[in-house]
Coordinates of all heavy atoms in Angstrom, one line a residue:
D366 N -5.4 -30.9 -0.6 CA -6.4 -31.9 -1.1 C -6.9 -31.2 -2.4 O -7.7 -30.3 -2.4 CB -7.5 -32.0 -0.1 CG -8.6 -33.0 -0.6 OD1 -8.4 -33.6 -1.7 OD2 -9.6 -33.1 0.1
T367 N -6.5 -31.8 -3.5 CA -6.9 -31.2 -4.8 C -8.1 -31.9 -5.5 O -8.4 -31.7 -6.7 CB -5.7 -31.4 -5.8 OG1 -5.3 -32.7 -6.0 CG2 -4.5 -30.5 -5.3
T368 N -8.8 -32.7 -4.7 CA -9.9 -33.5 -5.2 C -11.0 -32.6 -5.7 O -11.5 -32.9 -6.9 CB -10.5 -34.4 -4.0 OG1 -9.5 -35.2 -3.5 CG2 -11.6 -35.3 -4.6
Q369 N -11.4 -31.6 -5.0 CA -12.5 -30.7 -5.5 C -12.1 -30.0 -6.7 O -12.8 -29.9 -7.7 CB -12.9 -29.7 -4.4 CG -13.3 -30.4 -3.1 CD -13.7 -29.3 -2.1 OE1 -13.8 -28.1 -2.3 NE2 -13.8 -29.7 -0.8
I370 N -10.8 -29.5 -6.7 CA -10.3 -28.7 -7.9 C -10.3 -29.6 -9.1 O -10.7 -29.2 -10.2 CB -9.0 -28.1 -7.6 CG1 -9.1 -27.0 -6.5 CG2 -8.4 -27.4 -8.9 CD1 -7.9 -26.4 -6.1
M371 N -9.8 -30.9 -9.0 CA -9.7 -31.8 -10.1 C -11.0 -32.2 -10.6 O -11.2 -32.4 -11.7 CB -8.9 -33.1 -9.7 CG -7.4 -32.8 -9.4 SD -6.6 -32.1 -10.8 CE -7.0 -33.3 -12.1
A372 N -12.0 -32.3 -9.7 CA -13.4 -32.6 -10.2 C -13.9 -31.5 -11.0 O -14.6 -31.7 -12.1 CB -14.3 -32.8 -9.0
V373 N -13.7 -30.3 -10.7 CA -14.1 -29.1 -11.5 C -13.4 -29.1 -12.8 O -14.0 -29.0 -13.9 CB -13.9 -27.8 -10.8 CG1 -14.2 -26.6 -11.6 CG2 -14.8 -27.7 -9.5
L374 N -12.1 -29.3 -12.8 CA -11.3 -29.3 -14.1 C -11.7 -30.5 -15.0 O -11.8 -30.3 -16.2 CB -9.8 -29.4 -13.7 CG -9.2 -28.1 -13.0 CD1 -7.8 -28.4 -12.7 CD2 -9.4 -26.9 -13.8
H375 N -12.1 -31.6 -14.5 CA -12.5 -32.7 -15.2 C -13.8 -32.5 -16.0 O -14.0 -32.8 -17.1 CB -12.6 -34.0 -14.4 CG -11.2 -34.6 -14.0 ND1 -10.2 -34.6 -14.9 CD2 -10.8 -35.2 -12.9 CE1 -9.1 -35.2 -14.3 NE2 -9.5 -35.6 -13.0
K376 N -14.7 -31.8 -15.2 CA -16.0 -31.4 -15.8 C -15.8 -30.4 -17.0 O -16.4 -30.5 -18.0 CB -16.9 -30.9 -14.8 CG -17.4 -32.0 -13.8 CD -18.4 -31.3 -12.8 CE -18.9 -32.5 -11.8 NZ -19.9 -31.9 -10.8
I377 N -14.9 -29.5 -16.8 CA -14.6 -28.5 -17.8 C -14.0 -29.2 -19.0 O -14.3 -28.9 -20.2 CB -13.7 -27.4 -17.3 CG1 -14.4 -26.6 -16.2 CG2 -13.3 -26.4 -18.4 CD1 -13.5 -25.5 -15.6
E378 N -13.1 -30.2 -18.7 CA -12.5 -30.9 -19.8 C -13.5 -31.8 -20.6 O -13.4 -31.9 -21.9 CB -11.4 -31.9 -19.3 CG -10.2 -31.1 -18.8 CD -9.1 -32.0 -18.2 OE1 -9.5 -33.1 -17.8 OE2 -8.0 -31.6 -17.9
Q379 N -14.6 -32.3 -19.9 CA -15.5 -33.1 -20.6 C -16.4 -32.2 -21.5 O -16.8 -32.6 -22.5 CB -16.4 -33.8 -19.5 CG -15.7 -34.9 -18.7 CD -16.5 -35.5 -17.6 OE1 -17.7 -35.1 -17.4 NE2 -16.0 -36.4 -16.8
K380 N -16.7 -30.9 -21.0 CA -17.4 -30.0 -21.8 C -16.7 -29.6 -23.0 O -17.3 -29.4 -24.1 CB -17.9 -28.9 -20.9 CG -18.8 -29.2 -19.8 CD -20.2 -29.7 -20.3 CE -21.2 -30.0 -19.2 NZ -22.5 -30.4 -19.7
T381 N -15.5 -29.2 -22.9 CA -14.7 -28.7 -24.0 C -14.1 -29.7 -24.9 O -13.8 -29.4 -26.0 CB -13.6 -27.8 -23.4 OG1 -12.8 -28.5 -22.5 CG2 -14.2 -26.6 -22.6
G382 N -13.8 -31.0 -24.3 CA -13.2 -32.0 -25.1 C -11.7 -31.9 -25.2 O -11.0 -32.6 -25.9
Y383 N -11.2 -31.1 -24.4 CA -9.7 -30.8 -24.3 C -9.2 -31.3 -23.0 O -9.8 -30.9 -21.9 CB -9.3 -29.4 -24.6 CG -9.6 -29.0 -26.0 CD1 -10.8 -28.2 -26.3 CD2 -8.8 -29.3 -27.0 CE1 -11.0 -27.8 -27.5 CE2 -9.0 -28.8 -28.3 CZ -10.1 -28.1 -28.6 OH -10.4 -27.7 -29.9
T384 N -8.1 -32.0 -23.0 CA -7.3 -32.4 -21.7 C -6.2 -31.4 -21.5 O -5.2 -31.5 -22.4 CB -6.9 -33.8 -21.7 OG1 -8.0 -34.7 -22.0 CG2 -6.2 -34.3 -20.4
F385 N -6.3 -30.5 -20.6 CA -5.2 -29.5 -20.4 C -4.5 -29.6 -19.1 O -3.6 -28.8 -18.8 CB -5.8 -28.2 -20.6 CG -7.0 -27.9 -19.8 CD1 -6.9 -27.5 -18.4 CD2 -8.2 -28.1 -20.3 CE1 -8.0 -27.3 -17.7 CE2 -9.4 -27.9 -19.5 CZ -9.3 -27.5 -18.2
T386 N -4.8 -30.6 -18.2 CA -4.1 -30.7 -17.0 C -4.1 -32.0 -16.4 O -4.8 -32.9 -16.9 CB -4.7 -29.6 -16.0 OG1 -3.9 -29.6 -14.8 CG2 -6.1 -30.0 -15.6
N387 N -3.3 -32.3 -15.4 CA -3.5 -33.5 -14.6 C -3.2 -33.2 -13.1 O -2.9 -32.1 -12.8 CB -2.4 -34.5 -15.1 CG -1.0 -33.9 -15.0 OD1 -0.5 -33.6 -13.9 ND2 -0.3 -33.7 -16.2
E388 N -3.5 -34.2 -12.3 CA -3.5 -33.9 -10.8 C -2.2 -33.5 -10.3 O -2.1 -32.6 -9.4 CB -4.0 -35.2 -10.0 CG -4.2 -34.9 -8.6 CD -4.8 -36.1 -7.9 OE1 -5.1 -37.1 -8.6 OE2 -4.9 -36.1 -6.7

Side-chain angles (χ1 to χ4, degrees):
D366 183 9
T367 59
T368 305
Q369 299 180 14
I370 296 178
M371 288 305 305
V373 173
L374 294 177
H375 287 324
K376 290 182 178 180
I377 295 177
E378 289 174 347
Q379 292 173 1
K380 293 292 182 180
T381 60
Y383 292 98
T384 302
F385 49 83
T386 186
N387 56 64
E388 185 172 357

